């Protein structure tokens, strides 16, 4: 990174005139370009969770302004943060994680607020504020399936087992969205493990694939284990969203979020606002772009599919088949 | 992520360094083991070390362990070679050069000023990689004043970002369009190529001739020429988008990396 970093580790800094209990701990200051158009961006992390680092540094590398990076301290109130932000003269606040996003969005009405790494932004009231924009954490099903189809292009009829309470509206939307892409979702509600087993057994002969999406009824070790073993036995494609760990554990393929791309997407949104090209309201909340595709070649062999060699360069990770290497 | 370079196998006598800012770094992570298995199978006592940082590469080439390097032609030109002598060049179906295309789904103007282009850009040294990309696009006749880049980890994502209107254009390899065409022909048909970059030489295999004997050099060259015959070698090559090695010729580098015909 060519930009100058000023370290202030563990230095508690009150941005406002707060005498004690500083609301945010300054971790780093990154100097921006010294031009008349130079702006000041504050980054506020909800915690020191390492997951936040990738989007953070991707963002920092692409926003050419002074950036002060803070982490929330425990017990911080929203009013204290708002006061501190007001005194800082910041042109934009970039929050990472749910805690920082809701705290700032609830109390800051003037400065543009950009969030990332927040699950269910709509549920947390982040989608209906004129000064708030962000990158959602929920990857669109169309995007996931475009990636799945690289490894299983013939996949057409796909079983989705889900909890109505947790995912009903989302899977119905996915069903609608995927029709133009040649994918027919077969929706099978279930509320517990017995329901998962029943739904699978009822529908396994009607589908050529099973999709594990972010739902507590199926995204747990028992249900995953059952679906992994059953799909291998029945030679069905088993694809999963959210985490590469599912492919590591035996699903054919997984698509997980590309956190670096999320940071880049956020940086583009920030630059548009800082350059006066668009407002936060015009940008709104966007789904994330980009996904990390992981293929498990051992599972591919077990279910009898062969992923074309020319596709391999386009995948992010290929878990080799250790039992039967290709030599 | 390969922050400073992957650890070298302790028993290997020398290093085969790899540095190419244009390479897909996710792919490099994947081929590390394949490359080392290939080298071992040929009884070549080298450790393959892919690097993403120019600084680390520059440090390591001063080390006596560095015997060979697969390195970007830009580096070879700008550094005067650092004692590196090109031997072989990767080739796809005999072609040592590659190019990317700039595609859009809407406005087909080559003026991308103020717009967003989705591109595969490495996380490390992204400022340099972005500047290099802008230069490449300018050479291809594209206006890129104030253009922003949406950084993706692979070309297919760049195409999807454009298709979903998160970017105005995408700069990708033609092969990625072919892959998407198989998944969704209708979507791929909506893509319009508005510019082609000049052809760029793939990173040559070079030897540090001052510290590597001719017998070792001959052994490595002979093994690389047959790399496609070995499953691990073939896999590594395929991941890096080529399928053979051809002899290096001075005109390849002399044409400043961009060429019509020799």
């Amino acid at each position: 990174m060519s930009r100058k970093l000023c370290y202030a580790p563990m230095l508690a800094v009150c941005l406002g005139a707060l005498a004690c209990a500083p609301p945010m701990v300054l971790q780093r200051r990154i100097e921006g370009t010294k031009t008349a158009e130079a702006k000041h961006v504050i980054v506020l992390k909800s915690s020191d969770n390492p997951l936040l680092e990738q989007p953070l540094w991707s963002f920092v590398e692409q926003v050419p302004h002074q950036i002060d990076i803070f982490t929330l301290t425990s017990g911080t109130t929203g009013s204290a943060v708002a006061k501190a932000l007001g005194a800082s003269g910041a042109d934009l606040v970039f929050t990472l994680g749910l805690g920082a996003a809701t705290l700032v969005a609830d109390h800051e009405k003037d400065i543009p607020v950009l969030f990332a790494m927040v699950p269910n932004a709509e549920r947390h009231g982040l989608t209906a504020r004129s000064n708030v924009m962000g990158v959602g954490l929920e990857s669109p099903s169309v995007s996931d399936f475009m990636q799945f189809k690289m490894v299983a292009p013939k996949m057409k009829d796909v079983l989705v087992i889900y909890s109505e309470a947790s995912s009903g509206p989302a899977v119905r939307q996915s069903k609608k969205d995927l029709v133009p892409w040649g994918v027919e979702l077969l929706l099978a509600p279930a509320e517990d493990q017995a329901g998962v087993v029943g739904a699978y057994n009822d529908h396994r002969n009607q589908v050529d694939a099973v999709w594990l999406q972010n739902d507590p009824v199926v995204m747990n070790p028992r249900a995953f284990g059952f679906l992994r073993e059953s799909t291998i036995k029945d030679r069905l494609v088993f694809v999963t969203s959210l985490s590469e760990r599912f492919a590591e554990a035996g699903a054919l393929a997984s698509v997980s979020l590309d956190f670096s791309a999320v940071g880049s997407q956020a940086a583009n949104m920030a630059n548009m606002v800082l350059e006066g090209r668009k407002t936060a309201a015009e940008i709104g909340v966007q789904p994330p772009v980009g996904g990390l595709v992981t293929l498990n070649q051992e599972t591919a062999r077990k279910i009898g599919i062969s992923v074309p060699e020319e596709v391999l360069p386009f995948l992010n990770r290929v878990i080799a088949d250790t039992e039967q290497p290709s030599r | 992520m390969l922050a400073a370079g992957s650890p070298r196998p302790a028993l290997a006598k020398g290093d085969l360094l790899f540095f190419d800012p244009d390479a897909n770094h996710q792919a490099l992570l994947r081929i590390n083991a394949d490359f080392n298995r290939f080298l071992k199978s040929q009884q070549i006592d080298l450790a393959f070390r892919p690097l993403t940082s120019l600084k680390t590469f520059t440090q390591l080439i001063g080390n006596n362990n560095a015997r060979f390097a697969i390195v970007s032609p830009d580096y070879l030109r700008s550094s005067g070679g650092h004692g590196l002598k090109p031997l072989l060049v990767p080739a796809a179906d005999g072609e040592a050069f590659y190019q990317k295309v700039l595609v859009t789904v809407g406005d087909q103007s080559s003026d991308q000023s103020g717009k967003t282009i989705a591109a595969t850009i490495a996380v490390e040294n992204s400022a340099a990689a972005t500047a290099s990309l802008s230069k490449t696009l300018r050479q291809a006749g594209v206006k890129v004043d104030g253009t922003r880049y949406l950084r993706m980890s692979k070309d297919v994502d760049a195409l999807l970002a454009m298709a979903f209107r998160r970017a105005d254009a995408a700069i990708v390899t033609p092969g990625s369009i072919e892959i998407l065409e198989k998944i969704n022909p209708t979507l791929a048909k909506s893509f319009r190529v508005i510019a082609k970059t000049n052809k760029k030489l793939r990173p040559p295999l070079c030897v540090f001739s001052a510290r590597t004997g001719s017998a070792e050099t001959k052994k490595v060259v002979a093994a690389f020429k047959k790399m496609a015959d070995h499953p691990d070698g073939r896999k590594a090559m395929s991941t890096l988008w080529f399928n053979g090695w051809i002899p290096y010729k001075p005109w390849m580098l002399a044409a400043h990396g961009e060429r019509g015909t020799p």
Side-chain angles (χ1 to χ4, degrees), chain B residues 92-178:
Chain B
D93 299 329
E95 174 58 87
F97 294 78
Y98 72 97
Q99 65 184 150
K100 289 199 164 191
V101 292
L102 184 69
V103 294
T104 65
V105 285
D107 178 15
Q108 291 176 34
S109 161
S110 62
D111 186 355
Q112 293 293 314
S113 300
K115 294 183 180 174
T116 301
I117 297 177
T120 304
I121 297 174
V123 174
E124 293 85 7
N125 303 314
S126 70
T130 302
S132 166
L133 183 55
S134 290
K135 185 180 163 194
T136 301
L137 285 168
R138 281 194 190 99
Q139 286 171 341
V142 180
K143 282 188 184 174
V144 286
D145 299 325
T147 297
R148 291 175 293 268
Y149 295 98
L150 184 57
R151 207 162 61 187
M152 312 305 299
S153 68
K154 56 186 188 295
D155 283 358
V156 169
D157 287 349
L159 287 171
L160 291 178
M162 178 189 66
F164 294 137
R165 310 285 174 173
R166 300 288 168 244
D168 301 295
I171 175 112
V172 297
T173 49
S176 63
I177 300 174
E178 288 166 20

Side-chain angles (χ1 to χ4, degrees), chain A residues 24-229:
Chain A
M24 309 183 293
V25 177
L26 177 62
Q27 293 184 318
R28 281 187 185 186
R29 165 164 295 169
I30 295 154
E31 300 295 346
T33 48
K34 304 284 185 193
T35 64
E37 298 80 31
K39 306 282 184 184
H40 180 201
V41 175
I42 284 186
V43 174
L44 187 56
K45 296 195 294 174
S46 296
S47 69
D48 285 324
N49 186 335
L51 274 182
L52 305 180
E53 297 299 308
Q54 232 177 318
L56 167 63
W57 292 107
S58 180
F59 176 88
V60 164
E61 286 216 351
Q62 291 185 265
V63 176
H65 302 287
Q66 180 183 316
I67 300 175
D68 289 341
I69 303 169
F70 295 86
T71 303
L72 277 181
T73 54
S74 61
T76 300
T77 64
S79 55
V81 169
K83 193 172 174 183
L85 291 174
S88 72
D91 297 291
L92 184 137
V93 185
F94 177 41
T95 66
L96 283 155
L98 176 62
T102 52
L103 202 67
V104 174
D106 285 348
H107 293 85
E108 179 54 60
K109 307 297 176 205
D110 301 319
I111 304 173
V113 177
L114 167 65
F115 68 82
M117 307 298 282
V118 176
N120 294 313
E122 191 171 1
R123 190 180 294 177
H124 295 288
L126 292 169
T127 53
R129 297 163 196 254
S130 62
N131 67 322
V132 177
M133 59 187 162
V135 184
L137 257 190
E138 290 74 29
S139 179
S141 51
V142 167
S143 175
D144 281 9
F145 270 83
M146 292 291 280
Q147 313 258 13
F148 293 146
K149 281 208 154 200
M150 283 199 286
V151 296
K154 290 178 183 166
M155 174 171 58
K156 186 173 177 292
D157 296 301
V158 182
L159 174 63
V160 188
I161 303 173
Y162 68 102
S163 148
E164 180 57 41
S166 300
S167 327
V171 294
R172 280 189 286 279
Q173 186 63 46
S174 294
K175 182 177 170 68
K176 203 183 292 179
D177 293 344
L178 285 165
V179 170
W181 303 84
V183 174
E184 183 67 41
L185 292 187
L186 197 163
L187 307 185
E191 296 308 323
D192 52 24
Q193 177 68 8
V196 172
V197 174
Y200 178 82
N201 287 331
D202 285 349
H203 299 293
R204 64 183 176 179
N205 293 327
Q206 299 164 257
V207 297
D208 45 41
V210 176
W211 173 37
L212 187 83
Q213 44 85 49
N214 188 4
D215 184 293
V217 166
V218 283
M219 221 165 242
N220 62 68
R222 276 186 76 199
F224 173 78
F226 166 76
L227 291 171
R228 178 190 56 202
E229 301 309 318

